[in-house]
Amino acid sequence: MSELQLKTVSSLSAVDPAAWNAVANPAGEPFDPFLSWEFLEALESSGAATRETGWSPLHLIIENEDGELTAAMPLYAKAHSQGEYIFDYAWADAYERAGGEYYPKLLSAVPFTPVTGRRLLVRDGEIDKRGLQHALLSGAIQLAQNNDLSSLHINFVEQDLYDDLGELGLLQRTDKQFHFENRDYADFDAFLAELSSAKRKNLRKERKKAQEGLTFEWLTGDEIQPHHWDAFFEFYMDTGSRKWGFPYLNRATFELIHDRLREHALLIFACEDGKPIAGALNFIGSETLYGRYWGRLEERPFLHFEVCYYQAIDFAIERGLKRVEAGAQGGHKLARGYGPVTTHSVHWIGHEGLRRAVDQYLEQERYAVADENDYLLARQPFRNKGEETQ
C-alpha cells in the first residue's frame, strides 16, 4: 500500500462531492442515496445532524500520496443515542450507574436512517480494499481512545463486513426488519396470487377500504414542486411530534433534498378532492425503494398500510426494483407481504468490564433474534404449494 494519510473532517462541505461519491457509491455497486454527499451534507448544512443536535461530524478520510480520496467512513461523535434505531440505552445506563461516562461515543451510520449499507467506503479499483477498511476501523478506534470516548458503533452493516469485523474482535449484534421482495411480479395482483387465500382476501379488503373516496399520486423528480414539500412537511411534523417527541429533520433539509436528490425522491400522496390528506416520502436506489417518513391530517382505516406499504409495492413492481424496505420494526408488516430480514451492527467498547457484560448479552440476543426470525419466516402469508388462487 502506498503512503496514505488518515484525516478527520468536521464537515462534509470540506470534501469534494465527486470524490466522496466515488467512495460512497463506487462503480458496480448498488446506488445508495443515503451515502451520497448530497444527502449526508444536507443533514449537516440544514442543522439536522450537527454538534447542536448531538451529532458532531468527525468523518474519517484516507488520501493517497497524490491527495486523492481513496476511502472514507461517515462518523459522528454522539451526545445521545437518539435517531439510531440500534438501541443501546441499557448499556449507557449500566455504565453510568457504575460511575462511567458513556457519552460522547462514536457512531458510523447514516443519521436517522435505519438502512443497511456500506460503512467503510473504498473507491472502485483500489487493490487492497480490505486493508483500507481495516485502516479506517483502526483510525476510528484510535480516535475514540485518544479522546476518551466510551465506544464505537457501526450500525446497519452488510453481512460481509459484519463477519469480517467480528473476526477482528468487535462485538456483533443482530436485529430484524421487514422487507418486501419483488419476485419479478408483473403487477400487484401477481403478488397477491402468491398469498394464502385468507391473506389475499384481507389485503384486497384493506386496499378497497383505504382507497374509498381517495386518489393517489406518485411524484418524483421535476414533478415535485415546493407546494408538495409544504404538504408533506405538515404530515411529517405531525407524525414526528407524536412518535419521537420532536422531528429530526427541518424544512431546510427537505429543500436541500429537493435541490440535490429529487430524482431519487418519491412522494406518494393520498388525495381527497385533489388535496393531499396523507403522504409518504421514499427514496429510490438502483435496486431498492426505501420508505422513510409518512404522515396524515386525519385518521382513515388502513390508510397507513395503503400509502406506505401497498403503494410502495406497486411502484417497486412498476419500476422493476428488487425490494421495498419500509423502515425499522413493525411486525404488522408480515401479514402484508413484508418478510423478516436480519440486520447487523458491530461495536467496540473501551471499558473491559462493560465490554464483557455486553458481549454476554449479545450472544443471548443473537440466539433470540434468530429464533424469532425462524418463527416469523414460518408464518409468512404465502400460500402452500398446490393451494389454488382465487
Side-chain angles (χ1 to χ4, degrees):
M1 189 181 296
S2 61
E3 184 177 347
L4 301 174
Q5 186 173 13
L6 181 71
K7 299 179 179 179
T8 61
V9 292
S10 59
S11 172
L12 269 185
S13 62
V15 180
D16 176 68
W20 178 272
N21 287 337
V23 299
N25 280 299
E29 297 287 345
F31 177 75
D32 183 340
F34 305 112
L35 290 174
S36 68
W37 183 94
E38 289 77 8
F39 184 84
L40 290 173
E41 203 283 331
L43 298 180
E44 295 178 17
S45 60
S46 68
T50 64
R51 179 182 297 274
E52 289 72 25
T53 61
W55 293 79
S56 298
L58 283 174
H59 309 301
L60 284 181
I61 63 172
I62 294 178
E63 295 177 341
N64 64 18
E65 56 192 3
D66 296 322
E68 298 171 328
L69 184 62
T70 62
M73 181 181 189
L75 195 63
Y76 303 85
K78 287 294 304 297
H80 50 68
S81 293
Q82 297 168 5
E84 298 178 16
Y85 303 93
I86 299 293
F87 301 107
D88 62 348
Y89 296 108
W91 307 357
D93 181 65
Y95 193 43
E96 290 171 2
R97 285 176 180 270
E101 293 185 7
Y102 193 75
Y103 303 108
K105 63 178 186 178
L106 277 181
L107 172 69
S108 180
V110 176
F112 326 119
T113 307
V115 170
T116 293
R118 299 175 290 274
R119 295 293 178 262
L120 304 182
L121 314 175
V122 179
R123 187 176 61 176
D124 181 49
E126 294 295 329
I127 297 175
D128 191 6
K129 177 180 178 180
R130 194 163 183 260
L132 287 167
Q133 290 179 325
H134 289 181
L136 288 168
L137 175 66
S138 297
I141 292 175
Q142 191 67 52
L143 183 64
Q145 292 173 328
N146 291 347
N147 292 276
D148 294 323
L149 305 181
S150 70
S151 49
L152 166 68
H153 310 264
I154 311 178
N155 288 356
F156 296 102
V157 300
E158 296 174 312
Q159 177 82 55
D160 289 347
L161 185 62
Y162 171 83
D163 293 338
D164 182 29
L165 299 188
E167 291 178 1
L168 294 179
L170 270 71
L171 306 183
Q172 296 177 297
R173 191 173 198 183
T174 57
D175 201 349
K176 67 178 180 302
Q177 292 182 349
F178 294 87
H179 299 171
F180 167 79
E181 297 293 335
N182 181 7
R183 304 176 183 177
D184 295 324
Y185 298 121
D187 51 29
F188 196 88
D189 283 339
F191 157 62
L192 286 180
E194 292 202 357
L195 302 185
S196 68
S197 176
K199 295 298 183 183
R200 184 165 56 250
K201 291 176 181 178
N202 186 61
L203 263 63
R204 284 173 173 158
K205 288 179 180 178
E206 286 187 357
R207 295 207 77 177
K208 183 178 179 180
K209 185 67 175 178
Q211 292 177 2
E212 287 180 357
L214 301 178
T215 58
F216 293 84
E217 294 182 347
W218 298 347
L219 302 168
T220 189
D222 290 338
E223 297 170 337
I224 305 176
Q225 297 297 313
H227 70 273
H228 296 127
W229 289 112
D230 290 338
F232 176 75
F233 189 64
E234 185 176 2
F235 304 148
Y236 169 77
M237 291 296 290
D238 176 72
T239 299
S241 298
R242 287 184 290 104
K243 190 172 183 179
W244 308 303
F246 64 92
Y248 294 132
L249 308 183
N250 54 49
R251 186 64 178 85
T253 310
F254 294 106
E255 289 177 5
L256 288 170
I257 289 171
H258 175 80
D259 291 342
R260 301 172 176 182
L261 285 169
R262 61 182 177 273
E263 292 300 323
H264 296 283
L266 167 68
L267 286 174
I268 297 175
F269 282 144
C271 302
E272 185 176 43
D273 298 326
K275 179 182 178 181
I277 65 165
L281 172 61
N282 304 260
F283 285 87
I284 308 168
S286 57
E287 297 183 348
T288 305
L289 182 67
Y290 303 96
R292 291 304 304 118
Y293 303 105
W294 111 285
R296 80 287 189 276
L297 297 182
E298 57 185 83
E299 190 67 46
R300 294 284 188 96
F302 308 118
L303 186 57
H304 174 243
F305 299 154
E306 177 65 27
V307 173
C308 295
Y309 305 152
Y310 303 144
Q311 291 285 324
I313 289 174
D314 279 334
F315 183 89
I317 292 173
E318 182 173 301
R319 288 291 185 96
L321 299 173
K322 293 182 178 180
R323 68 190 61 86
V324 179
E325 297 189 17
Q329 304 167 338
H332 56 277
K333 298 170 187 172
L334 185 71
R336 291 158 182 91
Y338 287 71
V341 175
T342 301
T343 60
H344 305 85
S345 60
V346 293
H347 310 266
W348 172 88
I349 295 176
H351 188 275
E352 180 64 22
L354 179 62
R355 190 200 69 80
R356 284 198 306 268
V358 170
D359 190 22
Q360 292 172 3
Y361 167 78
L362 292 181
E363 182 176 6
Q364 298 175 14
E365 185 185 51
R366 288 194 299 272
Y367 284 119
V369 169
D371 287 346
E372 184 176 10
N373 281 355
D374 287 343
Y375 176 87
L376 293 169
L377 282 168
R379 285 156 180 79
Q380 291 189 95
F382 298 100
R383 62 188 174 89
N384 297 322
K385 291 183 178 180
E387 180 182 347
E388 294 184 0
T389 60
Q390 296 180 10

